mmCIF file of all heavy atoms in Angstrom:
data_model
loop_
_atom_site.group_PDB
_atom_site.id
_atom_site.type_symbol
_atom_site.label_atom_id
_atom_site.label_comp_id
_atom_site.label_asym_id
_atom_site.label_seq_id
_atom_site.Cartn_x
_atom_site.Cartn_y
_atom_site.Cartn_z
ATOM 1 N N GLU A 1 65.915 -129.998 109.549
ATOM 2 C CA GLU A 1 64.986 -130.785 108.748
ATOM 3 C C GLU A 1 65.370 -130.746 107.268
ATOM 4 O O GLU A 1 65.209 -131.740 106.537
ATOM 5 C CB GLU A 1 63.567 -130.261 108.945
ATOM 6 C CG GLU A 1 63.013 -130.551 110.343
ATOM 7 C CD GLU A 1 61.632 -129.951 110.536
ATOM 8 O OE1 GLU A 1 61.216 -129.158 109.659
ATOM 9 O OE2 GLU A 1 60.979 -130.261 111.548
ATOM 10 N N GLN A 2 65.849 -129.605 106.781
ATOM 11 C CA GLN A 2 66.278 -129.509 105.387
ATOM 12 C C GLN A 2 67.497 -130.380 105.107
ATOM 13 O O GLN A 2 67.715 -130.815 103.971
ATOM 14 C CB GLN A 2 66.578 -128.049 105.027
ATOM 15 C CG GLN A 2 65.339 -127.183 104.953
ATOM 16 C CD GLN A 2 65.663 -125.725 104.705
ATOM 17 O OE1 GLN A 2 66.841 -125.342 104.680
ATOM 18 N NE2 GLN A 2 64.641 -124.904 104.557
ATOM 19 N N TRP A 3 68.286 -130.649 106.119
ATOM 20 C CA TRP A 3 69.404 -131.571 105.973
ATOM 21 C C TRP A 3 68.956 -133.025 106.099
ATOM 22 O O TRP A 3 69.787 -133.931 106.123
ATOM 23 C CB TRP A 3 70.467 -131.273 107.035
ATOM 24 C CG TRP A 3 71.340 -130.110 106.617
ATOM 25 C CD1 TRP A 3 71.370 -129.469 105.436
ATOM 26 C CD2 TRP A 3 72.320 -129.482 107.449
ATOM 27 N NE1 TRP A 3 72.305 -128.475 105.429
ATOM 28 C CE2 TRP A 3 72.918 -128.449 106.668
ATOM 29 C CE3 TRP A 3 72.760 -129.660 108.764
ATOM 30 C CZ2 TRP A 3 73.919 -127.617 107.159
ATOM 31 C CZ3 TRP A 3 73.770 -128.840 109.254
ATOM 32 C CH2 TRP A 3 74.342 -127.830 108.461
ATOM 33 N N GLU A 4 67.623 -133.235 106.195
ATOM 34 C CA GLU A 4 67.009 -134.557 106.269
ATOM 35 C C GLU A 4 67.513 -135.343 107.473
ATOM 36 O O GLU A 4 67.826 -136.536 107.389
ATOM 37 C CB GLU A 4 67.245 -135.357 104.971
ATOM 38 C CG GLU A 4 66.547 -134.763 103.775
ATOM 39 C CD GLU A 4 66.665 -135.621 102.532
ATOM 40 O OE1 GLU A 4 67.489 -136.562 102.531
ATOM 41 O OE2 GLU A 4 65.941 -135.358 101.569
ATOM 42 N N ILE A 5 67.579 -134.656 108.608
ATOM 43 C CA ILE A 5 67.892 -135.324 109.857
ATOM 44 C C ILE A 5 66.647 -136.110 110.276
ATOM 45 O O ILE A 5 65.538 -135.566 110.330
ATOM 46 C CB ILE A 5 68.269 -134.312 110.962
ATOM 47 C CG1 ILE A 5 69.443 -133.434 110.467
ATOM 48 C CG2 ILE A 5 68.644 -135.041 112.256
ATOM 49 C CD1 ILE A 5 70.673 -134.189 110.110
ATOM 50 N N PRO A 6 66.751 -137.397 110.536
ATOM 51 C CA PRO A 6 65.576 -138.192 110.903
ATOM 52 C C PRO A 6 64.857 -137.603 112.128
ATOM 53 O O PRO A 6 65.480 -137.015 113.030
ATOM 54 C CB PRO A 6 66.151 -139.576 111.204
ATOM 55 C CG PRO A 6 67.451 -139.616 110.459
ATOM 56 C CD PRO A 6 67.978 -138.227 110.493
ATOM 57 N N GLN A 7 63.515 -137.763 112.134
ATOM 58 C CA GLN A 7 62.733 -137.243 113.244
ATOM 59 C C GLN A 7 63.124 -137.912 114.560
ATOM 60 O O GLN A 7 63.058 -137.296 115.645
ATOM 61 C CB GLN A 7 61.248 -137.470 112.967
ATOM 62 C CG GLN A 7 60.700 -136.598 111.845
ATOM 63 C CD GLN A 7 60.749 -135.122 112.175
ATOM 64 O OE1 GLN A 7 60.611 -134.710 113.350
ATOM 65 N NE2 GLN A 7 60.984 -134.289 111.157
ATOM 66 N N SER A 8 63.556 -139.162 114.486
ATOM 67 C CA SER A 8 63.985 -139.842 115.712
ATOM 68 C C SER A 8 65.216 -139.177 116.314
ATOM 69 O O SER A 8 65.346 -139.058 117.543
ATOM 70 C CB SER A 8 64.266 -141.317 115.426
ATOM 71 O OG SER A 8 65.303 -141.438 114.445
ATOM 72 N N GLU A 9 66.104 -138.723 115.467
ATOM 73 C CA GLU A 9 67.310 -138.045 115.960
ATOM 74 C C GLU A 9 66.960 -136.669 116.527
ATOM 75 O O GLU A 9 67.545 -136.229 117.526
ATOM 76 C CB GLU A 9 68.339 -137.920 114.838
ATOM 77 C CG GLU A 9 68.817 -139.246 114.277
ATOM 78 C CD GLU A 9 69.620 -140.027 115.299
ATOM 79 O OE1 GLU A 9 70.246 -139.420 116.194
ATOM 80 O OE2 GLU A 9 69.622 -141.272 115.218
ATOM 81 N N LEU A 10 65.996 -135.969 115.903
ATOM 82 C CA LEU A 10 65.574 -134.666 116.427
ATOM 83 C C LEU A 10 64.914 -134.832 117.794
ATOM 84 O O LEU A 10 65.124 -134.014 118.721
ATOM 85 C CB LEU A 10 64.619 -133.992 115.446
ATOM 86 C CG LEU A 10 65.237 -133.439 114.160
ATOM 87 C CD1 LEU A 10 64.156 -132.872 113.252
ATOM 88 C CD2 LEU A 10 66.255 -132.345 114.499
ATOM 89 N N ALA A 11 64.115 -135.883 117.901
ATOM 90 C CA ALA A 11 63.473 -136.112 119.202
ATOM 91 C C ALA A 11 64.517 -136.421 120.272
ATOM 92 O O ALA A 11 64.402 -135.962 121.426
ATOM 93 C CB ALA A 11 62.470 -137.270 119.081
ATOM 94 N N LYS A 12 65.529 -137.198 119.885
ATOM 95 C CA LYS A 12 66.600 -137.511 120.825
ATOM 96 C C LYS A 12 67.359 -136.257 121.217
ATOM 97 O O LYS A 12 67.753 -136.078 122.385
ATOM 98 C CB LYS A 12 67.529 -138.542 120.197
ATOM 99 C CG LYS A 12 68.662 -138.991 121.100
ATOM 100 C CD LYS A 12 69.527 -140.044 120.373
ATOM 101 C CE LYS A 12 70.682 -140.483 121.260
ATOM 102 N NZ LYS A 12 71.554 -141.486 120.560
ATOM 103 N N LEU A 13 67.563 -135.341 120.247
ATOM 104 C CA LEU A 13 68.271 -134.085 120.514
ATOM 105 C C LEU A 13 67.485 -133.225 121.497
ATOM 106 O O LEU A 13 68.059 -132.644 122.448
ATOM 107 C CB LEU A 13 68.501 -133.343 119.209
ATOM 108 C CG LEU A 13 69.180 -131.976 119.300
ATOM 109 C CD1 LEU A 13 70.609 -132.121 119.828
ATOM 110 C CD2 LEU A 13 69.192 -131.297 117.925
ATOM 111 N N LYS A 14 66.173 -133.164 121.313
ATOM 112 C CA LYS A 14 65.351 -132.358 122.212
ATOM 113 C C LYS A 14 65.305 -132.970 123.608
ATOM 114 O O LYS A 14 65.270 -132.259 124.621
ATOM 115 C CB LYS A 14 63.944 -132.239 121.663
ATOM 116 C CG LYS A 14 63.851 -131.469 120.359
ATOM 117 C CD LYS A 14 62.417 -131.476 119.831
ATOM 118 C CE LYS A 14 62.336 -130.758 118.482
ATOM 119 N NZ LYS A 14 60.964 -130.778 117.931
ATOM 120 N N GLU A 15 65.315 -134.298 123.639
ATOM 121 C CA GLU A 15 65.193 -134.977 124.930
ATOM 122 C C GLU A 15 66.469 -134.870 125.753
ATOM 123 O O GLU A 15 66.440 -134.576 126.960
ATOM 124 C CB GLU A 15 64.835 -136.437 124.700
ATOM 125 C CG GLU A 15 64.663 -137.239 125.978
ATOM 126 C CD GLU A 15 64.318 -138.697 125.698
ATOM 127 O OE1 GLU A 15 64.097 -139.039 124.509
ATOM 128 O OE2 GLU A 15 64.305 -139.496 126.653
ATOM 129 N N THR A 16 67.629 -135.080 125.094
ATOM 130 C CA THR A 16 68.894 -135.079 125.849
ATOM 131 C C THR A 16 69.470 -133.690 125.995
ATOM 132 O O THR A 16 70.209 -133.412 126.951
ATOM 133 C CB THR A 16 69.909 -135.978 125.145
ATOM 134 O OG1 THR A 16 70.163 -135.487 123.825
ATOM 135 C CG2 THR A 16 69.373 -137.402 125.044
ATOM 136 N N GLY A 17 69.196 -132.820 125.056
ATOM 137 C CA GLY A 17 69.778 -131.479 125.108
ATOM 138 C C GLY A 17 71.242 -131.462 124.758
ATOM 139 O O GLY A 17 71.944 -130.479 125.069
ATOM 140 N N LYS A 18 71.759 -132.517 124.187
ATOM 141 C CA LYS A 18 73.169 -132.590 123.798
ATOM 142 C C LYS A 18 73.280 -132.845 122.294
ATOM 143 O O LYS A 18 72.479 -133.614 121.741
ATOM 144 C CB LYS A 18 73.872 -133.710 124.562
ATOM 145 C CG LYS A 18 73.933 -133.494 126.065
ATOM 146 C CD LYS A 18 74.657 -134.648 126.739
ATOM 147 C CE LYS A 18 74.734 -134.425 128.258
ATOM 148 N NZ LYS A 18 75.445 -135.534 128.952
ATOM 149 N N PRO A 19 74.270 -132.242 121.618
ATOM 150 C CA PRO A 19 74.444 -132.483 120.168
ATOM 151 C C PRO A 19 74.806 -133.947 119.893
ATOM 152 O O PRO A 19 75.507 -134.583 120.694
ATOM 153 C CB PRO A 19 75.584 -131.552 119.782
ATOM 154 C CG PRO A 19 75.654 -130.538 120.881
ATOM 155 C CD PRO A 19 75.219 -131.243 122.130
ATOM 156 N N ILE A 20 74.295 -134.436 118.771
ATOM 157 C CA ILE A 20 74.593 -135.795 118.336
ATOM 158 C C ILE A 20 75.810 -135.718 117.421
ATOM 159 O O ILE A 20 75.763 -135.129 116.339
ATOM 160 C CB ILE A 20 73.395 -136.410 117.604
ATOM 161 C CG1 ILE A 20 72.184 -136.441 118.516
ATOM 162 C CG2 ILE A 20 73.722 -137.806 117.106
ATOM 163 C CD1 ILE A 20 70.913 -136.881 117.806
ATOM 164 N N THR A 21 76.886 -136.317 117.827
ATOM 165 C CA THR A 21 78.120 -136.239 117.036
ATOM 166 C C THR A 21 78.120 -137.255 115.893
ATOM 167 O O THR A 21 78.568 -136.953 114.781
ATOM 168 C CB THR A 21 79.336 -136.472 117.929
ATOM 169 O OG1 THR A 21 79.200 -137.722 118.611
ATOM 170 C CG2 THR A 21 79.452 -135.342 118.953
ATOM 171 N N ASP A 22 77.666 -138.450 116.166
ATOM 172 C CA ASP A 22 77.627 -139.495 115.131
ATOM 173 C C ASP A 22 76.171 -139.725 114.736
ATOM 174 O O ASP A 22 75.411 -140.371 115.475
ATOM 175 C CB ASP A 22 78.244 -140.788 115.636
ATOM 176 C CG ASP A 22 79.751 -140.664 115.848
ATOM 177 O OD1 ASP A 22 80.316 -139.664 115.384
ATOM 178 O OD2 ASP A 22 80.339 -141.546 116.506
ATOM 179 N N LEU A 23 75.798 -139.170 113.568
ATOM 180 C CA LEU A 23 74.415 -139.283 113.085
ATOM 181 C C LEU A 23 74.266 -140.566 112.269
ATOM 182 O O LEU A 23 75.077 -140.839 111.361
ATOM 183 C CB LEU A 23 74.054 -138.073 112.216
ATOM 184 C CG LEU A 23 72.644 -138.058 111.632
ATOM 185 C CD1 LEU A 23 71.610 -137.937 112.735
ATOM 186 C CD2 LEU A 23 72.498 -136.915 110.630
ATOM 187 N N THR A 24 73.236 -141.363 112.542
ATOM 188 C CA THR A 24 72.991 -142.617 111.828
ATOM 189 C C THR A 24 72.104 -142.342 110.600
ATOM 190 O O THR A 24 71.038 -141.729 110.729
ATOM 191 C CB THR A 24 72.315 -143.638 112.736
ATOM 192 O OG1 THR A 24 73.161 -143.886 113.870
ATOM 193 C CG2 THR A 24 72.076 -144.943 111.982
ATOM 194 N N ILE A 25 72.545 -142.797 109.440
ATOM 195 C CA ILE A 25 71.778 -142.658 108.194
ATOM 196 C C ILE A 25 71.143 -144.005 107.884
ATOM 197 O O ILE A 25 71.840 -145.028 107.799
ATOM 198 C CB ILE A 25 72.676 -142.198 107.035
ATOM 199 C CG1 ILE A 25 73.385 -140.898 107.399
ATOM 200 C CG2 ILE A 25 71.853 -142.043 105.761
ATOM 201 C CD1 ILE A 25 72.460 -139.732 107.664
ATOM 202 N N ASN A 26 69.812 -144.003 107.666
ATOM 203 C CA ASN A 26 69.057 -145.225 107.430
ATOM 204 C C ASN A 26 68.698 -145.374 105.955
ATOM 205 O O ASN A 26 68.686 -144.395 105.195
ATOM 206 C CB ASN A 26 67.783 -145.234 108.269
ATOM 207 C CG ASN A 26 68.070 -145.140 109.758
ATOM 208 O OD1 ASN A 26 69.070 -145.700 110.239
ATOM 209 N ND2 ASN A 26 67.219 -144.444 110.488
ATOM 210 N N SER A 27 68.375 -146.600 105.541
ATOM 211 C CA SER A 27 67.977 -146.869 104.148
ATOM 212 C C SER A 27 66.590 -146.298 103.880
ATOM 213 O O SER A 27 65.658 -146.534 104.663
ATOM 214 C CB SER A 27 67.986 -148.380 103.878
ATOM 215 O OG SER A 27 67.491 -148.650 102.594
ATOM 216 N N PRO A 28 66.416 -145.568 102.778
ATOM 217 C CA PRO A 28 65.094 -144.982 102.499
ATOM 218 C C PRO A 28 64.088 -145.995 101.953
ATOM 219 O O PRO A 28 62.890 -145.758 102.009
ATOM 220 C CB PRO A 28 65.409 -143.908 101.453
ATOM 221 C CG PRO A 28 66.628 -144.426 100.757
ATOM 222 C CD PRO A 28 67.424 -145.166 101.789
ATOM 223 N N VAL A 29 64.548 -147.141 101.387
ATOM 224 C CA VAL A 29 63.662 -148.137 100.784
ATOM 225 C C VAL A 29 64.199 -149.520 101.114
ATOM 226 O O VAL A 29 65.323 -149.683 101.618
ATOM 227 C CB VAL A 29 63.569 -147.972 99.249
ATOM 228 C CG1 VAL A 29 62.910 -146.668 98.870
ATOM 229 C CG2 VAL A 29 64.951 -148.094 98.616
ATOM 230 N N SER A 30 63.372 -150.507 100.812
ATOM 231 C CA SER A 30 63.813 -151.901 100.901
ATOM 232 C C SER A 30 64.294 -152.346 99.532
ATOM 233 O O SER A 30 63.637 -152.066 98.506
ATOM 234 C CB SER A 30 62.670 -152.800 101.364
ATOM 235 O OG SER A 30 62.241 -152.455 102.665
ATOM 236 N N GLY A 31 65.422 -153.056 99.486
ATOM 237 C CA GLY A 31 65.954 -153.512 98.212
ATOM 238 C C GLY A 31 67.370 -154.020 98.345
ATOM 239 O O GLY A 31 67.895 -154.209 99.452
ATOM 240 N N TYR A 32 67.970 -154.200 97.169
ATOM 241 C CA TYR A 32 69.325 -154.738 97.115
ATOM 242 C C TYR A 32 70.309 -153.608 96.799
ATOM 243 O O TYR A 32 70.040 -152.757 95.938
ATOM 244 C CB TYR A 32 69.426 -155.819 96.044
ATOM 245 C CG TYR A 32 68.701 -157.096 96.405
ATOM 246 C CD1 TYR A 32 67.361 -157.264 96.096
ATOM 247 C CD2 TYR A 32 69.366 -158.130 97.059
ATOM 248 C CE1 TYR A 32 66.687 -158.425 96.431
ATOM 249 C CE2 TYR A 32 68.708 -159.295 97.402
ATOM 250 C CZ TYR A 32 67.358 -159.432 97.082
ATOM 251 O OH TYR A 32 66.699 -160.582 97.412
ATOM 252 N N ILE A 33 71.438 -153.636 97.484
ATOM 253 C CA ILE A 33 72.477 -152.633 97.228
ATOM 254 C C ILE A 33 73.215 -153.033 95.947
ATOM 255 O O ILE A 33 73.877 -154.073 95.894
ATOM 256 C CB ILE A 33 73.457 -152.551 98.404
ATOM 257 C CG1 ILE A 33 72.733 -152.097 99.666
ATOM 258 C CG2 ILE A 33 74.604 -151.614 98.076
ATOM 259 C CD1 ILE A 33 73.600 -152.116 100.914
ATOM 260 N N THR A 34 73.080 -152.238 94.909
ATOM 261 C CA THR A 34 73.776 -152.521 93.651
ATOM 262 C C THR A 34 75.086 -151.752 93.529
ATOM 263 O O THR A 34 75.920 -152.084 92.685
ATOM 264 C CB THR A 34 72.865 -152.172 92.464
ATOM 265 O OG1 THR A 34 72.526 -150.783 92.517
ATOM 266 C CG2 THR A 34 71.601 -153.012 92.478
ATOM 267 N N GLU A 35 75.265 -150.735 94.364
ATOM 268 C CA GLU A 35 76.510 -149.959 94.339
ATOM 269 C C GLU A 35 76.696 -149.305 95.708
ATOM 270 O O GLU A 35 75.737 -148.746 96.263
ATOM 271 C CB GLU A 35 76.458 -148.899 93.236
ATOM 272 C CG GLU A 35 77.691 -148.033 93.150
ATOM 273 C CD GLU A 35 77.545 -146.910 92.128
ATOM 274 O OE1 GLU A 35 76.416 -146.730 91.609
ATOM 275 O OE2 GLU A 35 78.542 -146.212 91.883
ATOM 276 N N TYR A 36 77.899 -149.361 96.228
ATOM 277 C CA TYR A 36 78.168 -148.634 97.487
ATOM 278 C C TYR A 36 79.593 -148.105 97.456
ATOM 279 O O TYR A 36 80.516 -148.741 96.959
ATOM 280 C CB TYR A 36 77.913 -149.532 98.698
ATOM 281 C CG TYR A 36 79.092 -150.364 99.137
ATOM 282 C CD1 TYR A 36 79.925 -149.948 100.173
ATOM 283 C CD2 TYR A 36 79.381 -151.580 98.511
ATOM 284 C CE1 TYR A 36 81.010 -150.713 100.579
ATOM 285 C CE2 TYR A 36 80.464 -152.346 98.913
ATOM 286 C CZ TYR A 36 81.271 -151.911 99.946
ATOM 287 O OH TYR A 36 82.339 -152.661 100.343
ATOM 288 N N ASN A 37 79.727 -146.875 97.984
ATOM 289 C CA ASN A 37 81.028 -146.201 98.031
ATOM 290 C C ASN A 37 81.364 -145.729 99.439
ATOM 291 O O ASN A 37 82.307 -144.953 99.620
ATOM 292 C CB ASN A 37 81.034 -145.000 97.079
ATOM 293 C CG ASN A 37 80.822 -145.416 95.632
ATOM 294 O OD1 ASN A 37 81.517 -146.294 95.128
ATOM 295 N ND2 ASN A 37 79.848 -144.801 94.964
ATOM 296 N N ALA A 38 80.572 -146.136 100.429
ATOM 297 C CA ALA A 38 80.805 -145.694 101.807
ATOM 298 C C ALA A 38 81.911 -146.517 102.441
ATOM 299 O O ALA A 38 81.812 -147.746 102.538
ATOM 300 C CB ALA A 38 79.515 -145.824 102.616
#
C-alpha cells in the first residue's frame, strides 16, 4: 500500500494468489498531459 499499489491490483493478487509481473499505473486526475517521459 505504501508503494501505492491500486486496490484493484491488491484484490486481484489476493484472488489469484499469483504475483502480478506487469503492474498497470492509472492517471490520478482528469486533464491534459503537458509533459511525458515514459
Side-chain angles (χ1 to χ4, degrees):
E1 290 177 350
Q2 290 175 355
W3 279 352
E4 294 186 347
I5 304 301
Q7 290 296 328
S8 60
E9 299 293 332
L10 287 177
K12 182 179 179 181
L13 178 64
K14 294 176 183 179
E15 181 181 354
T16 61
K18 296 180 179 180
I20 301 173
T21 56
D22 292 348
L23 180 66
T24 301
I25 304 298
N26 301 324
S27 175
V29 295
S30 297
Y32 289 88
I33 297 174
T34 60
E35 179 185 8
Y36 88 97
N37 298 308

